[in-house]
C-alpha cells in the first residue's frame, strides 16, 4: 500500500505557544511516522515566545506584524500569501489572538481549525475559565473546531471535558484545561490528517475513531 503523503500545516500563534510546543512534540521534524508536516509557524507578534520554539525545532517561522498594515484585510492578505507560499494545505490557529476577515476564512473553508479553551458553544470569547467558575458549571474543557466567520463557531471536531472541583480557581482550572488542550489538539489534527474528518451539513463527522462510553457525574454523590 502506498503511504499517504503528509498533511502540510501552517500554525498561527500570538504568544507563548504551549499548544504549538505540543504539536511540535507530536508532529515535528524529529518525529518518525508523523502524518503531518509543520511547514510554517507564523506570528502576528514579533516577540511571541512561540517563534523561539519553532526555531529551536528547525521549523520555518515568520513574524508578520499586524501593526505594519493599514487594516485587517491588508494584514490577512499578507498572511494568506505567506501561508500559500509555504505550501501549507491547512491552517491551525494555536492561540492566535487576532480576528480574521471573512475573506481569509472563506479562502480556507474547512481547512482552518482553532482550539478554544471551553466546551463550545458555551463560553465563547475570552476569560473562559473565570466565566465557567462564575456560572457554576460542573464540567469545563476545550474544543477543536473548524472556523467560521462568527467568532468561536464552526463544526466541532473534538472536545475534552473535565470536572470542575469545588476549590478550583481560575488558575487551577486553566492549568488542567491547558493540559487537556495539549492532548486534544494533536488527537484532532491526527484524525484530520488520516482523512477521518469531513463536514456535512455544518457538522464535522469523524469516521472510524474510538469514542468514550459511560456517564460522568460531578459530584459523584456522597
Ligand atoms: C490556549 O488556551 C488556546 O485555547 C487559546 O489561547 C491559548 C493559547 O495558549 N486559543 P498557548 O499560546 O498555546 O500556550
Amino acid at each position: 500500500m502506498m503511504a499517504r503523503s503528509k498533511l502540510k500545516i501552517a500554525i498561527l500563534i500570538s504568544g507563548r505557544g504551549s499548544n504549538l510546543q505540543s504539536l511540535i512534540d507530536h508532529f515535528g521534524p524529529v518525529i518518525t511516522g508523523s502524518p503531518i508536516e509543520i511547514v510554517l509557524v507564523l506570528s502576528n507578534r514579533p516577540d511571541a515566545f512561540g517563534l523561539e520554539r519553532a526555531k529551536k525545532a528547525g521549523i520555518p517561522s515568520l513574524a508578520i506584524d499586524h501593526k505594519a498594515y493599514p487594516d485587517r484585510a491588508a494584514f490577512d492578505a499578507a498572511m494568506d500569501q505567506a501561508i500559500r507560499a509555504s505550501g501549507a494545505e491547512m491552517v491551525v490557529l494555536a492561540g492566535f489572538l487576532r480576528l480574521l476577515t471573512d475573506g481569509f476564512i472563506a479562502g480556507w473553508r474547512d481547512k482552518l481549525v482553532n482550539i478554544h479553551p471551553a466546551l463550545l458553544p458555551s463560553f465563547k470569547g475570552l476569560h473562559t475559565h473565570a466565566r465557567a467558575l462564575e456560572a457554576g458549571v460542573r464540567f469545563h474543557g476545550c474544543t477543536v473546531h473548524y472556523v467560521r466567520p462568527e467568532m468561536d463557531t464552526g463544526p466541532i471536531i473534538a472536545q475534552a471535558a473535565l470536572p470542575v472541583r469545588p476549590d478550583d480557581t481560575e488558575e487551577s482550572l486553566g492549568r488542567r484545561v491547558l493540559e487537556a488542550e495539549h492532548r486534544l489538539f494533536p488527537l484532532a489534527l491526527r484524525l484530520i490528517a488520516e482523512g477521518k474528518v469531513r463536514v456535512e451539513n455544518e457538522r464535522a463527522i469523524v469516521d472510524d475513531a474510538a469514542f468514550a462510553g459511560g456517564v460522568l457525574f460531578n459530584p459523584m454523590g456522597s
Side-chain angles (χ1 to χ4, degrees):
M1 204 173 81
M2 242 178 53
R4 183 189 284 272
S5 62
K6 291 186 187 215
L7 177 70
K8 295 189 173 71
I9 66 168
I11 303 178
L12 272 51
I13 60 163
S14 295
R16 68 185 163 183
S18 72
N19 276 289
L20 166 67
Q21 188 63 55
S22 162
L23 297 180
I24 291 172
D25 294 344
H26 284 82
F27 305 124
V30 300
I31 307 300
T32 48
S34 166
I36 287 175
E37 182 184 352
I38 308 168
V39 293
L40 179 66
V41 170
L42 202 163
S43 172
N44 66 306
R45 296 187 50 139
D47 60 350
F49 182 63
L51 289 171
E52 305 303 318
R53 300 181 190 266
K55 279 180 202 133
K56 204 169 160 204
I59 296 168
S61 62
L62 183 66
I64 299 185
D65 190 344
H66 62 273
K67 292 199 229 70
Y69 293 84
D71 52 33
R72 281 188 199 278
F75 169 64
D76 281 11
M79 282 205 306
D80 193 70
Q81 200 176 31
I83 295 166
R84 294 197 189 274
S86 75
E89 304 156 280
M90 194 171 101
V91 179
V92 173
L93 306 180
F96 182 71
L97 301 179
R98 301 282 307 165
L99 287 176
L100 294 164
T101 54
D102 291 3
F104 181 95
I105 293 170
W108 291 95
R109 192 177 170 87
D110 297 344
K111 292 180 168 30
L112 175 60
V113 300
N114 179 47
I115 188 156
H116 180 73
L119 290 171
L120 291 174
S122 292
F123 310 119
K124 296 170 182 172
L126 298 173
H127 311 299
T128 55
H129 312 312
R131 286 160 57 215
L133 288 175
E134 166 85 21
V137 292
R138 296 301 194 254
F139 290 96
H140 186 43
C142 49
T143 303
V144 177
H145 65 100
Y146 287 111
V147 174
R148 294 293 183 261
E150 201 185 320
M151 191 182 64
D152 297 328
T153 65
I156 290 171
I157 300 161
Q159 294 186 306
L162 49 93
V164 178
R165 296 178 187 155
D167 56 352
D168 260 328
T169 60
E170 182 178 0
E171 207 209 355
S172 67
L173 184 57
R175 199 178 318 118
R176 293 208 309 289
V177 171
L178 192 62
E179 281 167 17
E181 291 184 41
H182 296 162
R183 294 167 60 193
L184 184 72
F185 218 179
L187 179 160
L189 295 186
R190 180 179 294 277
L191 288 170
I192 295 171
E194 290 172 349
K196 292 178 177 164
V197 186
R198 67 203 142 85
V199 179
E200 256 175 39
N201 300 322
E202 281 301 89
R203 286 193 217 168
I205 317 285
V206 181
D207 292 323
D208 201 20
F211 295 96
V215 183
L216 288 175
F217 298 86
N218 187 36
M220 301 201 322
S222 52

